[in-house]
Every structure is written in C-alpha cells, then in structure tokens.
Amino acid sequence: MSPRRYRMSQRAASTEDTRRRIVEATFALHAEKGVAATTFRDISERADVGIGTIYQHFPSYEHVIEACGKHAFAVMRPPHEDIFEGTTGLEQRVRLLVRELFALYQRFPVFGRIRDERHQFEAIERAMTSEEQNRRTLIAAAFRGARASERSRSLAFALLDMDVYQSLRHCGIEHDAAVDEITNVLLARVRSKRRAT
C-alpha cells in the first residue's frame, strides 16, 4: 500500500511540474510575442511537451491564458491596500502609491503590451478589470480623509496608468523624477480642492 501511495504522489508531482512548465512557457512567449501571436505549437516547443499534453491540462487557449495570468500576477506582485499600513498622512500615502505602481511598471514593461490585447481575450479582460479595480481601491485608500472629489480620483487613476509612466520615461524623465512629478501633481490637485471647500 505504501509503494502505491508513493507512485501516486510522484504522478501528482509530475503532473504539477508539467502544468507549471506549460504556464511558465506561455508567460515567456506572451512577453516575447504577445498573446494573440502565441500558438499551442509555440507553447509545446517551449515547454517540451506534446500539444495533446497541453490540452489535457487546459481545454482551450482561454484556459491557458487564465492560468498564465494568475502566474503573472503572482510574479508581478501588484501592490495592495496593506502597503499603507503604518503610514501617517496624505503625502506619505500618495507618494507610496505612485512609487509602488511605477515600480511595478518598471519591473514589467510587457504588462502594457499584454493589456493592449484585452479585448481579444476574455481572460485578459477579466485580469485587466481586476487590476483597474485594485488601482481604484489603492487610490481611495491613499486619498483617505482628504475629501478628494470623484474627478480627483479619476485624474489619479489616469495619471497612475502604465501608459503615462511609459510616456514620461520615453520623454527622458527618469524613474524617480517621474514618481516625484506625478506625486506633486496629485497632491496639488487634492490640496487645491481641499482649500476650495
């Protein structure tokens, strides 16, 4: 009975290893080629498995994309509300928010490329919607107590988008300077609204 249990756990470990290889190969291919340009044959060659093996683990390409997306977010580690624990005051929270999001964009520039394909694949659309909701939650937490208007929160959402970060970098603005500039814009906006009320 013990040898059979051992073989079953070996098989489960082998199955999990195959699945992991497929997901990691897909992740790398999406970064290199994009989601739409990646084929099951590409994944098969990169993961060193048969195409049939991919279908055993993932019945459709959407399922592969969904698993790859979960892997991507685990690797990317986007910031969550707990980043604000121990912070005191609006300026500290806003600076931390901008720094964390821009650091994420700096680490994973391919995120923007994959996001551009969101309307082609339901799994990407769901992942990007979740990312946007997380960003809105972070903005609300950063502005806590500031009585920021809906327009101020919308402005923050737009300015904290990856495209803005990449545009700033493309214009020659260094990473730290980009963090400072956007932090200053957001703080000026919120403070001016507070004075106006």
Side-chain angles (χ1 to χ4, degrees), residues 22-58:
I22 293 167
V23 169
E24 289 177 354
T26 305
F27 179 67
L29 287 161
H30 287 176
E32 293 167 20
K33 302 176 67 165
V35 180
T38 298
T39 66
F40 266 45
R41 181 169 303 288
D42 295 330
I43 298 167
S44 166
E45 290 171 4
R46 180 68 62 96
D48 194 26
V49 298
I51 291 175
T53 301
I54 299 172
Y55 279 109
Q56 286 175 352
H57 290 272
F58 304 101

PDB file of all heavy atoms in Angstrom, residues 22-58:
ATOM      1  N   ILE A  22       4.178  24.399 -18.672  1.00  0.00           N
ATOM      2  CA  ILE A  22       3.292  24.958 -19.706  1.00  0.00           C
ATOM      3  C   ILE A  22       2.979  26.420 -19.394  1.00  0.00           C
ATOM      4  O   ILE A  22       3.069  27.284 -20.269  1.00  0.00           O
ATOM      5  CB  ILE A  22       1.990  24.124 -19.819  1.00  0.00           C
ATOM      6  CG1 ILE A  22       2.293  22.729 -20.367  1.00  0.00           C
ATOM      7  CG2 ILE A  22       0.960  24.844 -20.685  1.00  0.00           C
ATOM      8  CD1 ILE A  22       1.146  21.735 -20.231  1.00  0.00           C
ATOM      9  N   VAL A  23       2.630  26.697 -18.151  1.00  0.00           N
ATOM     10  CA  VAL A  23       2.271  28.070 -17.763  1.00  0.00           C
ATOM     11  C   VAL A  23       3.473  28.996 -17.885  1.00  0.00           C
ATOM     12  O   VAL A  23       3.373  30.108 -18.422  1.00  0.00           O
ATOM     13  CB  VAL A  23       1.687  28.096 -16.331  1.00  0.00           C
ATOM     14  CG1 VAL A  23       1.553  29.520 -15.812  1.00  0.00           C
ATOM     15  CG2 VAL A  23       0.336  27.388 -16.306  1.00  0.00           C
ATOM     16  N   GLU A  24       4.633  28.570 -17.416  1.00  0.00           N
ATOM     17  CA  GLU A  24       5.837  29.412 -17.494  1.00  0.00           C
ATOM     18  C   GLU A  24       6.265  29.637 -18.946  1.00  0.00           C
ATOM     19  O   GLU A  24       6.704  30.735 -19.304  1.00  0.00           O
ATOM     20  CB  GLU A  24       6.972  28.799 -16.683  1.00  0.00           C
ATOM     21  CG  GLU A  24       6.734  28.895 -15.189  1.00  0.00           C
ATOM     22  CD  GLU A  24       7.810  28.224 -14.354  1.00  0.00           C
ATOM     23  OE1 GLU A  24       8.724  27.568 -14.929  1.00  0.00           O
ATOM     24  OE2 GLU A  24       7.742  28.346 -13.113  1.00  0.00           O
ATOM     25  N   ALA A  25       6.126  28.619 -19.774  1.00  0.00           N
ATOM     26  CA  ALA A  25       6.449  28.780 -21.199  1.00  0.00           C
ATOM     27  C   ALA A  25       5.496  29.782 -21.837  1.00  0.00           C
ATOM     28  O   ALA A  25       5.917  30.648 -22.621  1.00  0.00           O
ATOM     29  CB  ALA A  25       6.359  27.427 -21.908  1.00  0.00           C
ATOM     30  N   THR A  26       4.219  29.685 -21.500  1.00  0.00           N
ATOM     31  CA  THR A  26       3.225  30.617 -22.041  1.00  0.00           C
ATOM     32  C   THR A  26       3.532  32.040 -21.600  1.00  0.00           C
ATOM     33  O   THR A  26       3.463  32.979 -22.400  1.00  0.00           O
ATOM     34  CB  THR A  26       1.809  30.202 -21.596  1.00  0.00           C
ATOM     35  OG1 THR A  26       1.575  28.846 -21.979  1.00  0.00           O
ATOM     36  CG2 THR A  26       0.749  31.101 -22.206  1.00  0.00           C
ATOM     37  N   PHE A  27       3.857  32.202 -20.339  1.00  0.00           N
ATOM     38  CA  PHE A  27       4.203  33.523 -19.786  1.00  0.00           C
ATOM     39  C   PHE A  27       5.370  34.143 -20.562  1.00  0.00           C
ATOM     40  O   PHE A  27       5.314  35.313 -20.970  1.00  0.00           O
ATOM     41  CB  PHE A  27       4.553  33.359 -18.305  1.00  0.00           C
ATOM     42  CG  PHE A  27       4.942  34.626 -17.610  1.00  0.00           C
ATOM     43  CD1 PHE A  27       4.030  35.639 -17.397  1.00  0.00           C
ATOM     44  CD2 PHE A  27       6.239  34.797 -17.141  1.00  0.00           C
ATOM     45  CE1 PHE A  27       4.388  36.811 -16.733  1.00  0.00           C
ATOM     46  CE2 PHE A  27       6.611  35.958 -16.479  1.00  0.00           C
ATOM     47  CZ  PHE A  27       5.686  36.964 -16.280  1.00  0.00           C
ATOM     48  N   ALA A  28       6.409  33.360 -20.804  1.00  0.00           N
ATOM     49  CA  ALA A  28       7.577  33.855 -21.539  1.00  0.00           C
ATOM     50  C   ALA A  28       7.214  34.197 -22.982  1.00  0.00           C
ATOM     51  O   ALA A  28       7.646  35.232 -23.514  1.00  0.00           O
ATOM     52  CB  ALA A  28       8.702  32.814 -21.505  1.00  0.00           C
ATOM     53  N   LEU A  29       6.420  33.363 -23.608  1.00  0.00           N
ATOM     54  CA  LEU A  29       6.019  33.602 -25.000  1.00  0.00           C
ATOM     55  C   LEU A  29       5.135  34.836 -25.128  1.00  0.00           C
ATOM     56  O   LEU A  29       5.274  35.618 -26.067  1.00  0.00           O
ATOM     57  CB  LEU A  29       5.314  32.372 -25.566  1.00  0.00           C
ATOM     58  CG  LEU A  29       6.233  31.192 -25.866  1.00  0.00           C
ATOM     59  CD1 LEU A  29       5.433  29.892 -25.981  1.00  0.00           C
ATOM     60  CD2 LEU A  29       7.023  31.443 -27.145  1.00  0.00           C
ATOM     61  N   HIS A  30       4.228  35.025 -24.183  1.00  0.00           N
ATOM     62  CA  HIS A  30       3.373  36.217 -24.211  1.00  0.00           C
ATOM     63  C   HIS A  30       4.227  37.478 -24.094  1.00  0.00           C
ATOM     64  O   HIS A  30       3.946  38.480 -24.754  1.00  0.00           O
ATOM     65  CB  HIS A  30       2.341  36.168 -23.087  1.00  0.00           C
ATOM     66  CG  HIS A  30       1.243  35.179 -23.333  1.00  0.00           C
ATOM     67  ND1 HIS A  30       0.262  34.921 -22.406  1.00  0.00           N
ATOM     68  CD2 HIS A  30       0.953  34.399 -24.410  1.00  0.00           C
ATOM     69  CE1 HIS A  30      -0.583  34.015 -22.887  1.00  0.00           C
ATOM     70  NE2 HIS A  30      -0.179  33.682 -24.107  1.00  0.00           N
ATOM     71  N   ALA A  31       5.261  37.413 -23.266  1.00  0.00           N
ATOM     72  CA  ALA A  31       6.158  38.566 -23.105  1.00  0.00           C
ATOM     73  C   ALA A  31       6.931  38.838 -24.394  1.00  0.00           C
ATOM     74  O   ALA A  31       7.147  39.990 -24.772  1.00  0.00           O
ATOM     75  CB  ALA A  31       7.120  38.323 -21.947  1.00  0.00           C
ATOM     76  N   GLU A  32       7.323  37.777 -25.082  1.00  0.00           N
ATOM     77  CA  GLU A  32       8.129  37.920 -26.299  1.00  0.00           C
ATOM     78  C   GLU A  32       7.293  38.250 -27.534  1.00  0.00           C
ATOM     79  O   GLU A  32       7.669  39.109 -28.334  1.00  0.00           O
ATOM     80  CB  GLU A  32       8.898  36.614 -26.567  1.00  0.00           C
ATOM     81  CG  GLU A  32       9.961  36.297 -25.556  1.00  0.00           C
ATOM     82  CD  GLU A  32      10.461  34.863 -25.685  1.00  0.00           C
ATOM     83  OE1 GLU A  32      10.281  34.240 -26.767  1.00  0.00           O
ATOM     84  OE2 GLU A  32      11.006  34.346 -24.695  1.00  0.00           O
ATOM     85  N   LYS A  33       6.181  37.534 -27.707  1.00  0.00           N
ATOM     86  CA  LYS A  33       5.422  37.609 -28.965  1.00  0.00           C
ATOM     87  C   LYS A  33       4.068  38.282 -28.840  1.00  0.00           C
ATOM     88  O   LYS A  33       3.489  38.668 -29.845  1.00  0.00           O
ATOM     89  CB  LYS A  33       5.179  36.184 -29.494  1.00  0.00           C
ATOM     90  CG  LYS A  33       6.412  35.366 -29.750  1.00  0.00           C
ATOM     91  CD  LYS A  33       6.067  33.943 -30.165  1.00  0.00           C
ATOM     92  CE  LYS A  33       5.390  33.933 -31.498  1.00  0.00           C
ATOM     93  NZ  LYS A  33       5.334  32.612 -32.124  1.00  0.00           N
ATOM     94  N   GLY A  34       3.545  38.327 -27.636  1.00  0.00           N
ATOM     95  CA  GLY A  34       2.171  38.768 -27.439  1.00  0.00           C
ATOM     96  C   GLY A  34       1.259  37.563 -27.303  1.00  0.00           C
ATOM     97  O   GLY A  34       1.641  36.431 -27.630  1.00  0.00           O
ATOM     98  N   VAL A  35       0.071  37.802 -26.841  1.00  0.00           N
ATOM     99  CA  VAL A  35      -0.873  36.708 -26.573  1.00  0.00           C
ATOM    100  C   VAL A  35      -1.432  36.135 -27.866  1.00  0.00           C
ATOM    101  O   VAL A  35      -1.431  34.926 -28.077  1.00  0.00           O
ATOM    102  CB  VAL A  35      -2.008  37.197 -25.650  1.00  0.00           C
ATOM    103  CG1 VAL A  35      -3.000  36.074 -25.364  1.00  0.00           C
ATOM    104  CG2 VAL A  35      -1.446  37.752 -24.347  1.00  0.00           C
ATOM    105  N   ALA A  36      -1.903  36.988 -28.752  1.00  0.00           N
ATOM    106  CA  ALA A  36      -2.537  36.520 -29.988  1.00  0.00           C
ATOM    107  C   ALA A  36      -1.556  35.781 -30.890  1.00  0.00           C
ATOM    108  O   ALA A  36      -1.942  34.863 -31.604  1.00  0.00           O
ATOM    109  CB  ALA A  36      -3.165  37.689 -30.734  1.00  0.00           C
ATOM    110  N   ALA A  37      -0.297  36.182 -30.843  1.00  0.00           N
ATOM    111  CA  ALA A  37       0.707  35.568 -31.731  1.00  0.00           C
ATOM    112  C   ALA A  37       1.248  34.243 -31.199  1.00  0.00           C
ATOM    113  O   ALA A  37       1.932  33.519 -31.919  1.00  0.00           O
ATOM    114  CB  ALA A  37       1.865  36.540 -31.953  1.00  0.00           C
ATOM    115  N   THR A  38       0.947  33.910 -29.957  1.00  0.00           N
ATOM    116  CA  THR A  38       1.429  32.660 -29.362  1.00  0.00           C
ATOM    117  C   THR A  38       0.495  31.514 -29.733  1.00  0.00           C
ATOM    118  O   THR A  38      -0.717  31.626 -29.602  1.00  0.00           O
ATOM    119  CB  THR A  38       1.519  32.797 -27.830  1.00  0.00           C
ATOM    120  OG1 THR A  38       2.464  33.823 -27.510  1.00  0.00           O
ATOM    121  CG2 THR A  38       1.953  31.505 -27.174  1.00  0.00           C
ATOM    122  N   THR A  39       1.068  30.419 -30.199  1.00  0.00           N
ATOM    123  CA  THR A  39       0.277  29.251 -30.598  1.00  0.00           C
ATOM    124  C   THR A  39       0.534  28.080 -29.647  1.00  0.00           C
ATOM    125  O   THR A  39       1.513  28.085 -28.895  1.00  0.00           O
ATOM    126  CB  THR A  39       0.641  28.807 -32.024  1.00  0.00           C
ATOM    127  OG1 THR A  39       2.004  28.326 -32.015  1.00  0.00           O
ATOM    128  CG2 THR A  39       0.502  29.951 -33.017  1.00  0.00           C
ATOM    129  N   PHE A  40      -0.332  27.087 -29.719  1.00  0.00           N
ATOM    130  CA  PHE A  40      -0.123  25.873 -28.931  1.00  0.00           C
ATOM    131  C   PHE A  40       1.189  25.198 -29.345  1.00  0.00           C
ATOM    132  O   PHE A  40       1.868  24.608 -28.513  1.00  0.00           O
ATOM    133  CB  PHE A  40      -1.302  24.912 -29.112  1.00  0.00           C
ATOM    134  CG  PHE A  40      -2.361  25.055 -28.052  1.00  0.00           C
ATOM    135  CD1 PHE A  40      -2.815  26.304 -27.658  1.00  0.00           C
ATOM    136  CD2 PHE A  40      -2.909  23.945 -27.438  1.00  0.00           C
ATOM    137  CE1 PHE A  40      -3.784  26.443 -26.687  1.00  0.00           C
ATOM    138  CE2 PHE A  40      -3.891  24.061 -26.455  1.00  0.00           C
ATOM    139  CZ  PHE A  40      -4.331  25.322 -26.076  1.00  0.00           C
ATOM    140  N   ARG A  41       1.538  25.287 -30.626  1.00  0.00           N
ATOM    141  CA  ARG A  41       2.814  24.707 -31.074  1.00  0.00           C
ATOM    142  C   ARG A  41       3.986  25.422 -30.408  1.00  0.00           C
ATOM    143  O   ARG A  41       4.942  24.788 -29.969  1.00  0.00           O
ATOM    144  CB  ARG A  41       2.945  24.776 -32.596  1.00  0.00           C
ATOM    145  CG  ARG A  41       4.245  24.161 -33.118  1.00  0.00           C
ATOM    146  CD  ARG A  41       4.263  23.990 -34.612  1.00  0.00           C
ATOM    147  NE  ARG A  41       3.176  23.198 -35.141  1.00  0.00           N
ATOM    148  CZ  ARG A  41       3.047  21.871 -35.014  1.00  0.00           C
ATOM    149  NH1 ARG A  41       3.959  21.196 -34.354  1.00  0.00           N
ATOM    150  NH2 ARG A  41       2.030  21.244 -35.540  1.00  0.00           N
ATOM    151  N   ASP A  42       3.918  26.753 -30.321  1.00  0.00           N
ATOM    152  CA  ASP A  42       4.967  27.520 -29.630  1.00  0.00           C
ATOM    153  C   ASP A  42       5.103  27.057 -28.184  1.00  0.00           C
ATOM    154  O   ASP A  42       6.213  26.829 -27.684  1.00  0.00           O
ATOM    155  CB  ASP A  42       4.641  29.024 -29.612  1.00  0.00           C
ATOM    156  CG  ASP A  42       4.618  29.649 -30.991  1.00  0.00           C
ATOM    157  OD1 ASP A  42       5.357  29.186 -31.884  1.00  0.00           O
ATOM    158  OD2 ASP A  42       3.844  30.619 -31.178  1.00  0.00           O
ATOM    159  N   ILE A  43       3.963  26.936 -27.516  1.00  0.00           N
ATOM    160  CA  ILE A  43       3.974  26.531 -26.107  1.00  0.00           C
ATOM    161  C   ILE A  43       4.531  25.121 -25.968  1.00  0.00           C
ATOM    162  O   ILE A  43       5.349  24.834 -25.085  1.00  0.00           O
ATOM    163  CB  ILE A  43       2.555  26.611 -25.508  1.00  0.00           C
ATOM    164  CG1 ILE A  43       2.041  28.056 -25.559  1.00  0.00           C
ATOM    165  CG2 ILE A  43       2.534  26.080 -24.078  1.00  0.00           C
ATOM    166  CD1 ILE A  43       0.548  28.203 -25.284  1.00  0.00           C
ATOM    167  N   SER A  44       4.100  24.242 -26.875  1.00  0.00           N
ATOM    168  CA  SER A  44       4.558  22.859 -26.866  1.00  0.00           C
ATOM    169  C   SER A  44       6.079  22.782 -26.983  1.00  0.00           C
ATOM    170  O   SER A  44       6.741  22.074 -26.218  1.00  0.00           O
ATOM    171  CB  SER A  44       3.894  22.106 -28.027  1.00  0.00           C
ATOM    172  OG  SER A  44       4.516  20.877 -28.256  1.00  0.00           O
ATOM    173  N   GLU A  45       6.631  23.531 -27.911  1.00  0.00           N
ATOM    174  CA  GLU A  45       8.089  23.516 -28.112  1.00  0.00           C
ATOM    175  C   GLU A  45       8.823  24.111 -26.919  1.00  0.00           C
ATOM    176  O   GLU A  45       9.832  23.573 -26.461  1.00  0.00           O
ATOM    177  CB  GLU A  45       8.451  24.261 -29.404  1.00  0.00           C
ATOM    178  CG  GLU A  45       8.019  23.527 -30.650  1.00  0.00           C
ATOM    179  CD  GLU A  45       8.183  24.340 -31.924  1.00  0.00           C
ATOM    180  OE1 GLU A  45       8.712  25.474 -31.861  1.00  0.00           O
ATOM    181  OE2 GLU A  45       7.770  23.830 -32.993  1.00  0.00           O
ATOM    182  N   ARG A  46       8.311  25.244 -26.403  1.00  0.00           N
ATOM    183  CA  ARG A  46       8.993  25.907 -25.284  1.00  0.00           C
ATOM    184  C   ARG A  46       8.931  25.073 -24.007  1.00  0.00           C
ATOM    185  O   ARG A  46       9.889  25.007 -23.248  1.00  0.00           O
ATOM    186  CB  ARG A  46       8.362  27.287 -25.060  1.00  0.00           C
ATOM    187  CG  ARG A  46       8.963  28.112 -23.939  1.00  0.00           C
ATOM    188  CD  ARG A  46      10.387  28.574 -24.219  1.00  0.00           C
ATOM    189  NE  ARG A  46      10.487  29.434 -25.364  1.00  0.00           N
ATOM    190  CZ  ARG A  46      10.489  30.767 -25.330  1.00  0.00           C
ATOM    191  NH1 ARG A  46      10.415  31.395 -24.179  1.00  0.00           N
ATOM    192  NH2 ARG A  46      10.581  31.454 -26.449  1.00  0.00           N
ATOM    193  N   ALA A  47       7.767  24.443 -23.757  1.00  0.00           N
ATOM    194  CA  ALA A  47       7.582  23.659 -22.530  1.00  0.00           C
ATOM    195  C   ALA A  47       8.111  22.233 -22.671  1.00  0.00           C
ATOM    196  O   ALA A  47       8.180  21.503 -21.682  1.00  0.00           O
ATOM    197  CB  ALA A  47       6.107  23.625 -22.147  1.00  0.00           C
ATOM    198  N   ASP A  48       8.455  21.849 -23.902  1.00  0.00           N
ATOM    199  CA  ASP A  48       8.947  20.499 -24.195  1.00  0.00           C
ATOM    200  C   ASP A  48       7.903  19.439 -23.822  1.00  0.00           C
ATOM    201  O   ASP A  48       8.182  18.456 -23.131  1.00  0.00           O
ATOM    202  CB  ASP A  48      10.275  20.238 -23.479  1.00  0.00           C
ATOM    203  CG  ASP A  48      10.986  18.998 -24.032  1.00  0.00           C
ATOM    204  OD1 ASP A  48      10.744  18.658 -25.215  1.00  0.00           O
ATOM    205  OD2 ASP A  48      11.756  18.371 -23.279  1.00  0.00           O
ATOM    206  N   VAL A  49       6.667  19.698 -24.278  1.00  0.00           N
ATOM    207  CA  VAL A  49       5.577  18.741 -24.096  1.00  0.00           C
ATOM    208  C   VAL A  49       4.811  18.643 -25.412  1.00  0.00           C
ATOM    209  O   VAL A  49       4.912  19.525 -26.264  1.00  0.00           O
ATOM    210  CB  VAL A  49       4.608  19.173 -22.964  1.00  0.00           C
ATOM    211  CG1 VAL A  49       5.314  19.243 -21.622  1.00  0.00           C
ATOM    212  CG2 VAL A  49       3.926  20.493 -23.284  1.00  0.00           C
ATOM    213  N   GLY A  50       4.043  17.593 -25.557  1.00  0.00           N
ATOM    214  CA  GLY A  50       3.212  17.454 -26.745  1.00  0.00           C
ATOM    215  C   GLY A  50       2.003  18.387 -26.679  1.00  0.00           C
ATOM    216  O   GLY A  50       1.560  18.782 -25.592  1.00  0.00           O
ATOM    217  N   ILE A  51       1.470  18.716 -27.845  1.00  0.00           N
ATOM    218  CA  ILE A  51       0.283  19.569 -27.893  1.00  0.00           C
ATOM    219  C   ILE A  51      -0.881  18.904 -27.160  1.00  0.00           C
ATOM    220  O   ILE A  51      -1.647  19.569 -26.453  1.00  0.00           O
ATOM    221  CB  ILE A  51      -0.079  19.917 -29.351  1.00  0.00           C
ATOM    222  CG1 ILE A  51       0.993  20.841 -29.939  1.00  0.00           C
ATOM    223  CG2 ILE A  51      -1.460  20.577 -29.432  1.00  0.00           C
ATOM    224  CD1 ILE A  51       0.814  21.158 -31.413  1.00  0.00           C
ATOM    225  N   GLY A  52      -0.999  17.595 -27.302  1.00  0.00           N
ATOM    226  CA  GLY A  52      -2.045  16.852 -26.597  1.00  0.00           C
ATOM    227  C   GLY A  52      -1.926  16.997 -25.085  1.00  0.00           C
ATOM    228  O   GLY A  52      -2.946  17.055 -24.381  1.00  0.00           O
ATOM    229  N   THR A  53      -0.707  17.072 -24.597  1.00  0.00           N
ATOM    230  CA  THR A  53      -0.488  17.243 -23.157  1.00  0.00           C
ATOM    231  C   THR A  53      -1.014  18.598 -22.699  1.00  0.00           C
ATOM    232  O   THR A  53      -1.604  18.723 -21.615  1.00  0.00           O
ATOM    233  CB  THR A  53       1.008  17.116 -22.822  1.00  0.00           C
ATOM    234  OG1 THR A  53       1.462  15.820 -23.231  1.00  0.00           O
ATOM    235  CG2 THR A  53       1.272  17.307 -21.342  1.00  0.00           C
ATOM    236  N   ILE A  54      -0.833  19.611 -23.525  1.00  0.00           N
ATOM    237  CA  ILE A  54      -1.366  20.942 -23.175  1.00  0.00           C
ATOM    238  C   ILE A  54      -2.882  20.856 -23.058  1.00  0.00           C
ATOM    239  O   ILE A  54      -3.475  21.357 -22.098  1.00  0.00           O
ATOM    240  CB  ILE A  54      -0.954  21.999 -24.219  1.00  0.00           C
ATOM    241  CG1 ILE A  54       0.566  22.122 -24.281  1.00  0.00           C
ATOM    242  CG2 ILE A  54      -1.589  23.345 -23.885  1.00  0.00           C
ATOM    243  CD1 ILE A  54       1.078  23.000 -25.411  1.00  0.00           C
ATOM    244  N   TYR A  55      -3.522  20.201 -24.032  1.00  0.00           N
ATOM    245  CA  TYR A  55      -4.983  20.075 -23.994  1.00  0.00           C
ATOM    246  C   TYR A  55      -5.461  19.262 -22.790  1.00  0.00           C
ATOM    247  O   TYR A  55      -6.567  19.480 -22.293  1.00  0.00           O
ATOM    248  CB  TYR A  55      -5.500  19.455 -25.290  1.00  0.00           C
ATOM    249  CG  TYR A  55      -5.634  20.441 -26.414  1.00  0.00           C
ATOM    250  CD1 TYR A  55      -4.768  20.412 -27.500  1.00  0.00           C
ATOM    251  CD2 TYR A  55      -6.626  21.424 -26.394  1.00  0.00           C
ATOM    252  CE1 TYR A  55      -4.881  21.323 -28.544  1.00  0.00           C
ATOM    253  CE2 TYR A  55      -6.752  22.341 -27.420  1.00  0.00           C
ATOM    254  CZ  TYR A  55      -5.873  22.281 -28.492  1.00  0.00           C
ATOM    255  OH  TYR A  55      -5.993  23.200 -29.504  1.00  0.00           O
ATOM    256  N   GLN A  56      -4.648  18.318 -22.312  1.00  0.00           N
ATOM    257  CA  GLN A  56      -5.025  17.558 -21.113  1.00  0.00           C
ATOM    258  C   GLN A  56      -5.124  18.472 -19.894  1.00  0.00           C
ATOM    259  O   GLN A  56      -5.968  18.272 -19.019  1.00  0.00           O
ATOM    260  CB  GLN A  56      -4.001  16.457 -20.836  1.00  0.00           C
ATOM    261  CG  GLN A  56      -4.090  15.292 -21.782  1.00  0.00           C
ATOM    262  CD  GLN A  56      -2.963  14.290 -21.543  1.00  0.00           C
ATOM    263  OE1 GLN A  56      -2.043  14.530 -20.777  1.00  0.00           O
ATOM    264  NE2 GLN A  56      -3.050  13.154 -22.223  1.00  0.00           N
ATOM    265  N   HIS A  57      -4.262  19.476 -19.851  1.00  0.00           N
ATOM    266  CA  HIS A  57      -4.245  20.395 -18.711  1.00  0.00           C
ATOM    267  C   HIS A  57      -5.166  21.597 -18.923  1.00  0.00           C
ATOM    268  O   HIS A  57      -5.724  22.124 -17.960  1.00  0.00           O
ATOM    269  CB  HIS A  57      -2.816  20.894 -18.460  1.00  0.00           C
ATOM    270  CG  HIS A  57      -1.914  19.844 -17.922  1.00  0.00           C
ATOM    271  ND1 HIS A  57      -1.789  19.596 -16.576  1.00  0.00           N
ATOM    272  CD2 HIS A  57      -1.094  18.960 -18.562  1.00  0.00           C
ATOM    273  CE1 HIS A  57      -0.918  18.604 -16.388  1.00  0.00           C
ATOM    274  NE2 HIS A  57      -0.492  18.204 -17.574  1.00  0.00           N
ATOM    275  N   PHE A  58      -5.298  22.022 -20.180  1.00  0.00           N
ATOM    276  CA  PHE A  58      -6.051  23.235 -20.495  1.00  0.00           C
ATOM    277  C   PHE A  58      -6.907  22.971 -21.728  1.00  0.00           C
ATOM    278  O   PHE A  58      -6.382  22.880 -22.835  1.00  0.00           O
ATOM    279  CB  PHE A  58      -5.101  24.411 -20.760  1.00  0.00           C
ATOM    280  CG  PHE A  58      -4.157  24.681 -19.630  1.00  0.00           C
ATOM    281  CD1 PHE A  58      -2.838  24.251 -19.694  1.00  0.00           C
ATOM    282  CD2 PHE A  58      -4.582  25.355 -18.493  1.00  0.00           C
ATOM    283  CE1 PHE A  58      -1.966  24.493 -18.651  1.00  0.00           C
ATOM    284  CE2 PHE A  58      -3.718  25.603 -17.447  1.00  0.00           C
ATOM    285  CZ  PHE A  58      -2.401  25.174 -17.519  1.00  0.00           C
TER     286      PHE A  58
END
